[in-house]
Amino acid sequence: MSMSHVTTHVLDTGSGKPAADVPVILEARDGGQWVRIAEGATDADGRIRQLGPERLSSGTYRLVFDTGKYFAASGTETFFPEVTLTFGVAESEAHYHVPLLLSPFAYSTYRGS
């Protein structure tokens, strides 16, 4: 099985563990609108290895993480019920890994490999 063009990994830095069962949506900008391409949820290792097609056209995309649902499952209050990461894709690039480091009151990201 080939890997999708975009993958993600969510780490709960507050607990020091992977964040399992975080719903994630991949969307593409089409003019002034966002169009849903794929959706999934992180596995026990906090990863989604198959999110969308093997190839995406060049353009602007975003990942929308339902962090509120994740924290609610453990009864944890959070300031960020949703995290949206917008990024550009060049068709010529083989793979985009977009990790999310998450805690109840902060988050960060970077271009992974």
Side-chain angles (χ1 to χ4, degrees):
M1 177 193 300
S2 59
M3 185 183 316
S4 59
H5 204 169
V6 174
T7 58
T8 191
H9 188 194
V10 183
L11 297 172
D12 183 337
T13 59
S15 71
K17 298 179 181 176
D21 299 319
V22 178
V24 181
I25 298 169
L26 172 63
E27 297 178 319
R29 183 177 287 162
D30 183 10
Q33 305 181 68
W34 289 100
V35 177
R36 185 176 295 199
I37 304 243
E39 60 186 276
T42 56
D43 62 16
D45 193 33
R47 296 180 183 275
I48 300 180
R49 292 172 175 87
Q50 292 296 323
L51 185 61
E54 185 177 327
R55 300 299 306 158
L56 294 170
S57 301
S58 296
T60 303
Y61 294 84
R62 70 182 182 186
L63 291 174
V64 181
F65 298 83
D66 188 347
T67 53
K69 182 177 180 184
Y70 168 74
F71 284 118
S74 64
T76 304
E77 179 185 353
T78 182
F79 185 69
F80 298 105
E82 180 179 277
V83 173
T84 302
L85 304 178
T86 305
F87 56 97
V89 166
E91 211 170 338
S92 61
E93 292 286 325
H95 179 244
Y96 287 85
H97 185 62
V98 185
L100 177 63
L101 305 175
L102 181 64
S103 76
F105 298 98
Y107 67 89
S108 65
T109 189
Y110 57 95
R111 166 104 192 250
S113 57

